[in-house]
PDB file of all heavy atoms in Angstrom:
ATOM      1  N   PRO A  27      88.698 175.994  95.275  1.00 84.00           N
ATOM      2  CA  PRO A  27      89.462 175.986  96.477  1.00 84.00           C
ATOM      3  C   PRO A  27      88.683 176.506  97.692  1.00 84.00           C
ATOM      4  O   PRO A  27      87.582 177.035  97.536  1.00 84.00           O
ATOM      5  CB  PRO A  27      90.649 176.905  96.170  1.00 84.00           C
ATOM      6  CG  PRO A  27      90.008 177.857  95.184  1.00 84.00           C
ATOM      7  CD  PRO A  27      89.034 177.114  94.388  1.00 84.00           C
ATOM      8  N   PRO A  28      89.238 176.428  98.930  1.00 83.00           N
ATOM      9  CA  PRO A  28      88.574 176.985 100.090  1.00 83.00           C
ATOM     10  C   PRO A  28      88.504 178.537 100.009  1.00 83.00           C
ATOM     11  O   PRO A  28      89.181 179.116  99.203  1.00 83.00           O
ATOM     12  CB  PRO A  28      89.507 176.589 101.244  1.00 83.00           C
ATOM     13  CG  PRO A  28      90.323 175.469 100.698  1.00 83.00           C
ATOM     14  CD  PRO A  28      90.492 175.675  99.285  1.00 83.00           C
ATOM     15  N   PRO A  29      87.579 179.132 100.824  1.00 82.00           N
ATOM     16  CA  PRO A  29      87.490 180.597 100.816  1.00 82.00           C
ATOM     17  C   PRO A  29      88.835 181.262 101.186  1.00 82.00           C
ATOM     18  O   PRO A  29      89.724 180.604 101.804  1.00 82.00           O
ATOM     19  CB  PRO A  29      86.441 180.881 101.923  1.00 82.00           C
ATOM     20  CG  PRO A  29      85.659 179.613 102.066  1.00 82.00           C
ATOM     21  CD  PRO A  29      86.650 178.509 101.774  1.00 82.00           C
ATOM     22  N   LEU A  30      88.997 182.538 100.760  1.00 84.00           N
ATOM     23  CA  LEU A  30      90.220 183.225 101.037  1.00 84.00           C
ATOM     24  C   LEU A  30      90.328 183.509 102.559  1.00 84.00           C
ATOM     25  O   LEU A  30      89.362 183.471 103.307  1.00 84.00           O
ATOM     26  CB  LEU A  30      90.230 184.588 100.347  1.00 84.00           C
ATOM     27  CG  LEU A  30      90.228 184.579  98.800  1.00 84.00           C
ATOM     28  CD1 LEU A  30      90.127 185.998  98.257  1.00 84.00           C
ATOM     29  CD2 LEU A  30      91.429 183.791  98.265  1.00 84.00           C
ATOM     30  N   VAL A  31      91.604 183.748 102.994  1.00 80.00           N
ATOM     31  CA  VAL A  31      91.792 184.056 104.416  1.00 80.00           C
ATOM     32  C   VAL A  31      91.053 185.316 104.789  1.00 80.00           C
ATOM     33  O   VAL A  31      90.361 185.373 105.802  1.00 80.00           O
ATOM     34  CB  VAL A  31      93.321 184.295 104.621  1.00 80.00           C
ATOM     35  CG1 VAL A  31      93.552 184.814 106.085  1.00 80.00           C
ATOM     36  CG2 VAL A  31      94.081 182.970 104.436  1.00 80.00           C
ATOM     37  N   ARG A  32      91.144 186.318 104.004  1.00 77.00           N
ATOM     38  CA  ARG A  32      90.363 187.549 104.161  1.00 77.00           C
ATOM     39  C   ARG A  32      90.259 188.285 102.835  1.00 77.00           C
ATOM     40  O   ARG A  32      90.952 188.019 101.888  1.00 77.00           O
ATOM     41  CB  ARG A  32      91.010 188.474 105.199  1.00 77.00           C
ATOM     42  CG  ARG A  32      92.352 189.071 104.851  1.00 77.00           C
ATOM     43  CD  ARG A  32      92.656 190.212 105.887  1.00 77.00           C
ATOM     44  NE  ARG A  32      93.972 190.819 105.572  1.00 77.00           N
ATOM     45  CZ  ARG A  32      95.109 190.470 106.118  1.00 77.00           C
ATOM     46  NH1 ARG A  32      95.155 189.574 107.052  1.00 77.00           N
ATOM     47  NH2 ARG A  32      96.259 191.152 105.781  1.00 77.00           N
ATOM     48  N   GLY A  33      89.330 189.236 102.789  1.00 78.00           N
ATOM     49  CA  GLY A  33      89.179 189.943 101.569  1.00 78.00           C
ATOM     50  C   GLY A  33      88.253 189.196 100.564  1.00 78.00           C
ATOM     51  O   GLY A  33      87.504 188.319 100.962  1.00 78.00           O
ATOM     52  N   SER A  34      88.355 189.551  99.297  1.00 86.00           N
ATOM     53  CA  SER A  34      87.520 188.954  98.279  1.00 86.00           C
ATOM     54  C   SER A  34      88.352 188.593  97.037  1.00 86.00           C
ATOM     55  O   SER A  34      89.468 189.019  96.879  1.00 86.00           O
ATOM     56  CB  SER A  34      86.439 189.941  97.823  1.00 86.00           C
ATOM     57  OG  SER A  34      87.028 191.055  97.241  1.00 86.00           O
ATOM     58  N   ILE A  35      87.769 187.785  96.144  1.00 89.00           N
ATOM     59  CA  ILE A  35      88.414 187.468  94.878  1.00 89.00           C
ATOM     60  C   ILE A  35      88.669 188.696  94.057  1.00 89.00           C
ATOM     61  O   ILE A  35      89.696 188.846  93.386  1.00 89.00           O
ATOM     62  CB  ILE A  35      87.570 186.497  94.086  1.00 89.00           C
ATOM     63  CG1 ILE A  35      87.527 185.089  94.775  1.00 89.00           C
ATOM     64  CG2 ILE A  35      88.099 186.237  92.649  1.00 89.00           C
ATOM     65  CD1 ILE A  35      88.865 184.420  94.906  1.00 89.00           C
ATOM     66  N   ASN A  36      87.724 189.685  94.130  1.00 91.00           N
ATOM     67  CA  ASN A  36      87.954 190.910  93.420  1.00 91.00           C
ATOM     68  C   ASN A  36      89.233 191.650  93.909  1.00 91.00           C
ATOM     69  O   ASN A  36      89.987 192.207  93.075  1.00 91.00           O
ATOM     70  CB  ASN A  36      86.720 191.816  93.579  1.00 91.00           C
ATOM     71  CG  ASN A  36      85.588 191.347  92.768  1.00 91.00           C
ATOM     72  OD1 ASN A  36      85.722 190.637  91.747  1.00 91.00           O
ATOM     73  ND2 ASN A  36      84.352 191.717  93.170  1.00 91.00           N
ATOM     74  N   ARG A  37      89.448 191.649  95.152  1.00 92.00           N
ATOM     75  CA  ARG A  37      90.618 192.345  95.702  1.00 92.00           C
ATOM     76  C   ARG A  37      91.905 191.572  95.247  1.00 92.00           C
ATOM     77  O   ARG A  37      92.913 192.214  94.868  1.00 92.00           O
ATOM     78  CB  ARG A  37      90.620 192.379  97.217  1.00 92.00           C
ATOM     79  CG  ARG A  37      91.788 193.274  97.770  1.00 92.00           C
ATOM     80  CD  ARG A  37      91.702 193.474  99.277  1.00 92.00           C
ATOM     81  NE  ARG A  37      92.214 192.356 100.010  1.00 92.00           N
ATOM     82  CZ  ARG A  37      92.364 192.321 101.284  1.00 92.00           C
ATOM     83  NH1 ARG A  37      91.999 193.359 102.035  1.00 92.00           N
ATOM     84  NH2 ARG A  37      92.817 191.223 101.938  1.00 92.00           N
ATOM     85  N   LEU A  38      91.844 190.253  95.319  1.00 93.00           N
ATOM     86  CA  LEU A  38      92.957 189.460  94.870  1.00 93.00           C
ATOM     87  C   LEU A  38      93.258 189.759  93.366  1.00 93.00           C
ATOM     88  O   LEU A  38      94.421 189.897  92.979  1.00 93.00           O
ATOM     89  CB  LEU A  38      92.709 187.951  95.040  1.00 93.00           C
ATOM     90  CG  LEU A  38      93.799 186.990  94.626  1.00 93.00           C
ATOM     91  CD1 LEU A  38      95.077 187.233  95.389  1.00 93.00           C
ATOM     92  CD2 LEU A  38      93.355 185.522  94.769  1.00 93.00           C
TER      93      LEU A  38
END
Side-chain angles (χ1 to χ4, degrees):
L30 300 176
V31 172
R32 67 169 182 262
S34 66
I35 292 297
N36 286 338
R37 188 174 80 173
L38 180 63

